[in-house]
Amino acid sequence: MKIINWINNSGWKKVFTTCLVLGAFFHLLAVFFSEGFHRPDEHLGIMRFIACKLGIFSTEELGKLSWEYPARIRNWIQPGLYYPFARLSYILDIKNPFFISGVFRFISSTIGMLSLVLLAFLSRKFIKSDFWKKFALIALFSTWYFPFFHARPTAENLGMTLFIFGIYLILKEIPVDLLNHSSITFNKSPRWKPDWKLSLLSGLFLGLAVNIRIPMANMVFFFVLWLFTYGKLKIRDFFILAGGIILSILLCIILDRWGYGQWTWSTYNYLYHEFVNNVSHGFGTDPWYKYIIKTFSRGFPPLSFLFIVPFIWLWIKKPGHVITWCTLPYFVVHSMIGHKELRYIFCMGLWIPILAALFFEEMVRHKYWIKIRLHPVFKILLCIIIIENFILLTVSSIKPAYGPIGFYKHLYHHKNEISGIYTLNLVRDQLRFYQKRDIVLTHVEDRNNIHGIIEESVGNLWFLTDKIADRGIFEKTGVCSLDYSSFPEWMFKFNIGNWMKRSKIWTLYKCSKN
């Protein structure tokens, strides 16, 4: 009740300032604490490329590490954005990779935070009621996964962020009646004329969004189509917008030339390998409805209802709305693609605060809303959602994005003498960017061979495992000691129900007969 009174009694600028400080605080927490990566592509497509330019390893080694480099399917726009900061750090003799990756997260988070500011200003044109305008502000700067998502130097994040930049430059000048057009019938309002420089810059941002994250082409295409049909954009301005997109393609080709050392266009290469060689199906396929299930389950119910219901309501009730045109085709196309990962539709989630405000603004006009609002179950659910979001916001902002990153920090700060490690688990990708020296990983196929390896050794040996069951193997040797664990030692005393058996716990053992 106090929150509602504060929203009612505070002006939009005061709420904006308060929310901006709150959002900046959690974004900074995510910059400092959410180390590592959410998905390996964050490392493979960004860190490896920058590491190659920094001389950590050669292009020949990079080609052997991944088929994507010789196939030239990854663009150099993002590595080109972060590389100058990494090079400056090396010039200043600051070569700590954890500091450098933190700078990358800060840049990414700052750009993402700016996109929220633009969405905040844009939301005032979408929403009519002052109360729900301020509600959208609070939701934009406090939704739990935004700080984590923005701290990720990924194509999904930067692609959507630049898309927001692009649409803001156009939509900020569009008449409100056109922007909020919701039916499938054509609006009879006269055409309008945006500033040509803004149209050109908008096209540049939209084109960069596509070159960075190619599936964004779907969202950009239908946004431009909406502008041309419902948005009453003139033909002249349409071609200026297209000119900005062409400039983005030229910029991408130039950066790819710098990165790969030869003239190429990574966007074309990606499309060729996807549609001709169908490479994505090699990573697994899911049914069309998988995204709905994942959004509900991994979005943490009942909070996840707010991630689904407003979209369904908008698509049904407002088929001509610009957000419908941006999101519905995008969702349909991605649902048709066999390989599905939740990060592919993260960009849709940035619309949720505005959609939730639109949804509730519409609901309050309904005659049953008063009964729903006064019902005790509704009040309980509302309290649960607020508490749940705050807990998730805090945890996601201070939790490492990749748990084993602590293992690499341990090696970097304490273990210069390690040149090789025996692994009992298959490490998919060794994070060379975070290592002072090349460490050879030797996989042990049979755990019964561990004693023999130790007996035949001279000096120190190092073993890495992610299974708690292997703990007993090394304790029985009498010559092995725990050197690192991704879980603190005290947690092993609370293995109630043997829950650790189902968890991946990276542990490093030092074994020596001396």
Side-chain angles (χ1 to χ4, degrees):
M1 185 61 69
K2 291 182 179 180
I3 295 177
I4 295 176
N5 290 335
W6 179 74
I7 296 174
N8 282 323
N9 297 327
S10 300
W12 190 89
K13 289 185 178 179
K14 181 179 180 180
V15 176
F16 172 78
T17 303
T18 303
C19 292
L20 185 64
V21 172
L22 177 68
F25 172 73
F26 281 102
H27 274 69
L28 284 175
L29 284 182
V31 167
F32 283 106
F33 293 108
S34 82
E35 296 180 299
F37 52 82
H38 175 238
R39 296 293 299 167
D41 280 5
E42 184 176 335
H43 172 75
L44 306 181
I46 307 296
M47 302 301 189
R48 272 186 179 175
F49 280 35
I50 294 174
C52 183
K53 284 295 182 181
L54 292 174
I56 295 177
F57 45 77
S58 66
T59 56
E60 290 76 15
E61 288 180 286
L62 185 57
K64 293 177 182 178
L65 288 170
S66 174
W67 68 274
E68 295 171 338
Y69 181 81
R72 301 188 295 278
I73 67 169
R74 289 193 181 274
N75 72 80
W76 279 83
I77 298 175
Q78 273 191 283
L81 171 64
Y82 301 127
Y83 173 75
F85 298 94
R87 174 54 65 187
L88 177 62
S89 182
Y90 264 55
I91 291 174
L92 297 175
D93 200 30
I94 304 175
K95 298 182 179 180
N96 187 320
F98 301 96
F99 170 80
I100 295 174
S101 62
V103 172
F104 297 164
R105 289 194 302 275
F106 178 77
I107 296 168
S108 177
S109 185
T110 301
I111 297 173
M113 187 69 182
L114 180 57
S115 73
L116 291 184
V117 173
L118 298 183
L119 280 177
F121 286 111
L122 198 58
S123 67
R124 301 181 72 181
K125 301 189 71 172
F126 285 115
I127 305 164
K128 298 176 182 178
S129 166
D130 287 339
F131 177 86
W132 294 110
K133 285 179 182 179
K134 289 179 278 189
F135 171 88
L137 275 180
I138 297 172
L140 274 168
F141 291 104
S142 64
T143 297
W144 70 269
Y145 57 84
F146 283 2
F148 176 86
F149 177 62
H150 285 149
R152 310 268 64 78
T154 60
E156 291 84 10
N157 176 22
L158 188 59
M160 184 58 186
T161 299
L162 293 181
F163 175 79
I164 292 172
F165 287 1
I167 67 171
Y168 174 79
L169 292 172
I170 290 289
L171 297 185
K172 78 183 188 73
E173 294 193 342
I174 195 172
V176 175
D177 63 322
L178 287 176
L179 185 59
N180 290 308
H181 182 75
S182 58
S183 66
I184 58 175
T185 58
F186 290 102
N187 195 307
K188 296 181 180 181
S189 300
R191 294 187 178 275
W192 58 286
K193 182 181 178 181
D195 184 274
W196 72 269
K197 295 184 289 296
L198 292 181
S199 295
L200 186 67
L201 190 58
S202 174
L204 177 63
F205 281 131
L206 294 176
L208 286 174
V210 174
N211 281 283
I212 289 172
R213 175 65 183 150
I214 296 173
M216 288 296 298
N218 178 293
M219 196 173 285
V220 170
F221 173 79
F222 281 95
F223 170 69
V224 174
L225 186 60
W226 181 90
L227 281 177
F228 190 63
T229 53
Y230 294 102
K232 300 295 183 180
L233 192 69
K234 291 183 177 181
I235 296 292
R236 166 187 171 274
D237 298 300
F238 173 79
F239 281 109
I240 293 175
L241 196 70
I245 294 175
I246 293 173
L247 286 177
S248 74
I249 295 173
L250 294 177
L251 180 60
C252 180
I253 292 174
I254 291 172
L255 287 172
D256 285 344
R257 173 65 178 82
W258 166 73
Y260 289 113
Q262 56 183 286
W263 290 108
T264 187
W265 185 23
S266 55
T267 304
Y268 170 80
N269 299 333
Y270 176 94
L271 293 173
Y272 176 83
H273 282 281
E274 176 60 33
F275 290 103
V276 176
N277 299 331
N278 204 19
V279 293
S280 66
H281 279 258
F283 299 103
T285 59
D286 293 298
W288 68 268
Y289 53 83
K290 191 67 175 181
Y291 279 128
I292 299 175
I293 297 175
K294 283 186 175 182
T295 301
F296 178 75
S297 61
R298 298 187 184 180
F300 300 97
L303 182 61
S304 53
F305 279 111
L306 294 180
F307 300 165
I308 300 174
V309 175
F311 273 113
I312 297 175
W313 166 81
L314 181 81
W315 295 341
I316 294 175
K317 292 292 186 179
K318 299 179 181 292
H321 200 283
V322 60
I323 300 180
T324 297
W325 280 58
C326 288
T327 57
L328 180 56
Y330 184 88
F331 182 77
V332 170
V333 170
H334 272 69
S335 295
M336 294 170 61
I337 298 173
H339 181 61
K340 295 176 176 64
E341 294 184 36
L342 203 56
R343 63 190 173 104
Y344 295 160
I345 62 170
F346 273 1
C347 59
M348 293 177 57
L350 294 180
W351 292 109
I352 287 173
I354 295 177
L355 293 188
L358 283 172
F359 173 73
F360 287 120
E361 185 180 45
E362 187 76 19
M363 284 292 293
V364 295
R365 299 192 186 102
H366 200 284
K367 63 181 180 179
Y368 294 113
W369 174 252
I370 296 178
K371 293 182 180 179
I372 295 173
R373 187 181 63 182
L374 295 177
H375 199 282
V377 174
F378 174 80
K379 294 181 179 180
I380 293 172
L381 284 175
L382 183 62
C383 290
I384 292 174
I385 287 173
I386 293 173
I387 295 172
E388 183 181 22
N389 181 77
F390 180 76
I391 292 174
L392 292 171
L393 175 64
T394 304
V395 172
S396 65
S397 299
I398 64 175
K399 181 179 179 294
Y402 181 60
I405 197 67
F407 165 75
Y408 288 94
K409 293 184 77 171
H410 178 76
L411 293 184
Y412 184 85
H413 291 297
H414 303 290
K415 299 298 175 185
N416 291 326
E417 72 272 22
I418 299 179
S419 59
I421 297 177
Y422 288 94
T423 67
L424 277 69
N425 58 311
L426 288 171
V427 178
R428 177 187 167 187
D429 297 295
Q430 190 178 170
L431 306 186
R432 291 272 298 278
F433 181 81
Y434 295 102
Q435 297 177 184
K436 282 184 178 178
R437 59 187 297 184
D438 188 18
I439 297 177
V440 178
L441 299 182
T442 304
H443 181 59
V444 180
E445 297 285 348
D446 187 357
R447 283 166 166 75
N448 294 324
N449 294 335
I450 293 176
H451 291 280
I453 295 172
I454 296 174
E455 288 297 322
E456 295 174 4
S457 68
V458 176
N460 297 329
L461 289 182
W462 306 88
F463 289 86
L464 174 67
T465 180
D466 64 356
K467 296 184 182 298
I468 188 65
D470 294 329
R471 186 182 176 95
I473 297 176
F474 295 100
E475 289 177 346
K476 291 178 182 179
T477 62
V479 295
C480 297
S481 59
L482 181 65
D483 190 68
Y484 167 81
S485 173
S486 58
F487 280 27
E489 186 67 21
W490 60 265
M491 287 192 68
F492 290 92
K493 300 177 182 179
F494 297 93
N495 190 19
I496 301 172
N498 202 21
W499 62 271
M500 286 188 171
K501 185 179 180 180
R502 300 181 293 274
S503 304
K504 286 193 174 184
I505 306 174
W506 281 45
T507 49
L508 182 68
Y509 288 90
K510 178 181 178 181
C511 302
S512 176
K513 293 186 297 182
N514 300 331

